[in-house]
Structures are given as C-alpha cells and as structure tokens.
Amino acid sequence: MKFTGKKALVFGTGLSGIAAADLLSENQIEVALYDEKQVEEEKLRERLKHKLVEIYTGKLPKEVKDRIDSVILSPGVPLDSPLVEELRASGKNILGEVELAYQFAKGDVLAITGTNGKTTTTALLGEIMKGFQKEVFVVGNIGNPYTSAAEQMTENSVTVAEVSSFQLETIKTFRPRVSAILNVTPDHLNRHHTMEAYWAAKAAITRNQRAEDTCILNYEDPYTRNLAEKIPARVVFFSSRRVLEDGIYLKDGKIFVGQEAFCETEDLQILGTHNYENVMAAVGMAIAYGVPKEMVKKAVLAFGGVEHRIEYVTEKNKVAYYNDSKGTNPDAAIKGIQAMNRPTVLIGGGYDKDSHYKEWIESFQGKVRKLVLVGDTKEKIAKEAEACGFFEYVFADTFQEAVALAAGLAQEGDAVLLSPACASWDMFPNYEARGETFKELVRAL
C-alpha cells in the first residue's frame, strides 16, 4: 500500500516531523507542518529542506483542517488529544511517522521494541547487518528518523528499526521480516494510561507478520512469553535464566544458540545480564535473517555499546563517573545500578511519567550510598525512598548543582552514576542532551 494522500498535515515539529514533511514534499504532496506550541517559524524553515511547506503553530485554522485528507502524527502526539480525535471523527486518514516511512520505503525491515534495551539491540544488529549487506539503514528512536532515509532505500536494502510504543500505536501495514520484543515493564503510563494499552501497542509490532517471518521474544517476560501462541510468525525465545531446547540462552558465562556455545560473556565489551539479553536478541534476529554465525560473532565481540547507556565518562580524584541518561524509567535505571561494582552516589529524578519507584529504591541495597534528587519528581521519589527506609538523599535545585553535590559526596573508590529513572523533559529536550550536559559538567570538575 502506497500513501495516497494529496494534502497532508504533519503534527509535531521534532526530528521525525521535519523528516516526514520533507518526505511528503519530495513526493509532490502538499504539506502543512503544525505544532500546538508556539514555535518560531524562521527556525523551523531553516530545518526544512523543502521551503514550500506551510507552517502553523498554536491553534490550527479551520480552513487547514477542511483542506487536508491525511494526518501524520509525530511519536510525541497522543492519539487521544482533542485535535487528533476531532480530525479522526471528520474522516481524515491518520497514521504515524513509521507507517508513512514504511509505505514509501523498500527492502526488508528488522524491527525492535521493548521497554528497555531497544537502542543497544538496534545499534548492535545494525553493526552485524553492515557486515552482511551493502545497503543498511539504522533508523527510528535511535536518533535517525525512518522518514529521513526512506527515499534512499532500494529492494536490496535492510532497515534496522528501533520502534517505540508511541510509533506502533499508529501502524497499519508495517511488517518486519524479523521482529523482537525485548521486555515489557511499566512505562509511559501517562500516555497509555493502562498496562493493557501499553502492552497492546508493543505487541502491534507482530500484527502484520506472516508464517515466513520471525519474532524473537524474551521467555522470562510473562507478557512476551504469553504472546507466542497468538502471533502468526515463527517464534524464537531467548532466556537469561534457563536452558531452552530450541532457543538462545545464557548458561555458565556463555551464550548458547540451540545446544551450541556461541560466545563467552567475558569476551563481550558490554556488561550486565540486561546487555547479554540484548546480545541474545540481536543474535537471534541476525541468524533468523540468514547471517552466518561466524559473521554475527565477529560483530558482537567488536561492539562497544551505545552512548548514554551505562557509559564510562572519566575518573576524577579516584571516583569513576558513569552516564546512564538513557535510564528514563525505573526498570532501566535498576539495570544501571546492577552494573555498578563499587559504592555509588546516584543522581536521579526528572520528568514524571506516572512511574512508581519502590523497586528501583529497593535495588539500592548494598550499592547506593547516597542519592542526589533533582527535577519534577524529586519530592515524590524522596517520599517513596523514606517509605522504603532509605533516608540518605539530598535535593538539588539545578542539574549543575546535582552533579556538584554528587562529586562532593563521593569518596575515593566510589562511582557517581547518572541514572535518573525519569524522562528528561522537565529540564532538557531529550535524554541525549541531559547525558551530554552531565559529561561536560563532569569533565569540568
């Protein structure tokens, strides 16, 4: 199915909104770019390749609503926003940026979703595929919008896509040859409202798959394990806790594919059980697509991880600093704490996604010596910390103050870890900007 609209509204002016507007313009489709917030038109124009795009901010004029036949939603725009509901009720074709890109793109798609581990798995699978295929595109939440690459793709392309629940809510025909759902834990409940709705969005990655396609699932996650019987694709499980007769698993410091030892975990450059799970998922996807095992192994052993995910920054005064800005929910942040092998001063807090922090705080035991809290959630987290019997926290008013406080509290042999368990949007445009600021502040200490 190819996009058939003639006049489209792109709702959202972030990276994916700009890329979607450019893709439509390149295909001679009349485009209006819109943001509910007041955004400076001149700055938006500078980012657009196609200068004929109309730009609207604030309230969308009625004549524009009447004129358009399709609406492309950026991932950050909720489906239940009043304007989206109004446009849907008036019969507009509503789709997301991933679906739009898929309708214009060519070649095969390998797609990854899950609450945690998406970026690492996507980056690793991208590296594996680059050794196997000439035309490889790594797109999605990883910082390169799918729509920005769609026009360059050919029938021989392989696209490795990181897709979020926000993007999967609006798919129609999107069909990965190989998909993976890494895990599902509470996240984005301010957007999805219930775990059932969040899970349904994640599970949508398998909706259009066929018997000849493959889905890689985490056997240890009850959501993903129970999905196996309901999807048409062939299922391959991975597990970090048990031996699987016909799957990929972790045992005695080795990763096995079926009954054959694939690699030793001590030879990997990325640490922690959560990363071994990411490796297993990427290995499973690559082998399912037909990449020879030796080629997969070579790429896996050479992979050094991704920025902002338990990233070593530097050592100052015999204190090691780690940037885990991508720990944007409690479950991801628990993984950051588990990877620490020394007493830790933790920086946490940020934008509130209606998360609960009890399990995160319980994971501090024997690891976190002091907690520095900053951002919108600092008082909520402090209350939950006290309820768990943890009182070793201090408040910071600014991010700069939080880093300075953490450095002051750290002793020789400690680690300072930024792993906020919250999104960044109260102080930063994204977790990358938060991580970059952290690294700059640490290096300047």
Side-chain angles (χ1 to χ4, degrees), residues 196-218:
E196 289 72 22
Y198 177 50
W199 166 234
K202 290 287 186 199
I205 198 169
T206 66
R207 185 191 299 152
N208 300 313
Q209 287 194 286
R210 300 174 192 162
E212 64 267 32
D213 301 326
T214 305
C215 179
I216 309 293
L217 294 174
N218 185 347

Side-chain angles (χ1 to χ4, degrees), residues 73 82 92 95 118 137 140 196 292-293 304 330 344 356 366 381 416:
L73 300 181
K92 312 298 181 194
L95 61 158
K118 293 189 295 295
F137 297 89
E196 289 72 22
K293 283 182 193 167
T344 300
H356 293 285
I381 293 172
V416 169

Side-chain angles (χ1 to χ4, degrees), residues 391-416:
F391 297 90
E392 295 299 318
Y393 66 82
V394 293
F395 288 143
D397 291 326
T398 66
F399 192 74
Q400 192 166 0
E401 186 191 354
V403 175
L405 273 171
L409 290 165
Q411 299 169 1
E412 269 190 28
D414 283 359
V416 169

Side-chain angles (χ1 to χ4, degrees), residues 216-233:
I216 309 293
L217 294 174
N218 185 347
Y219 192 85
E220 301 310 326
D221 187 295
Y223 282 99
T224 55
R225 186 169 63 244
N226 294 334
L227 179 68
E229 300 161 13
K230 300 169 190 158
I231 57 177

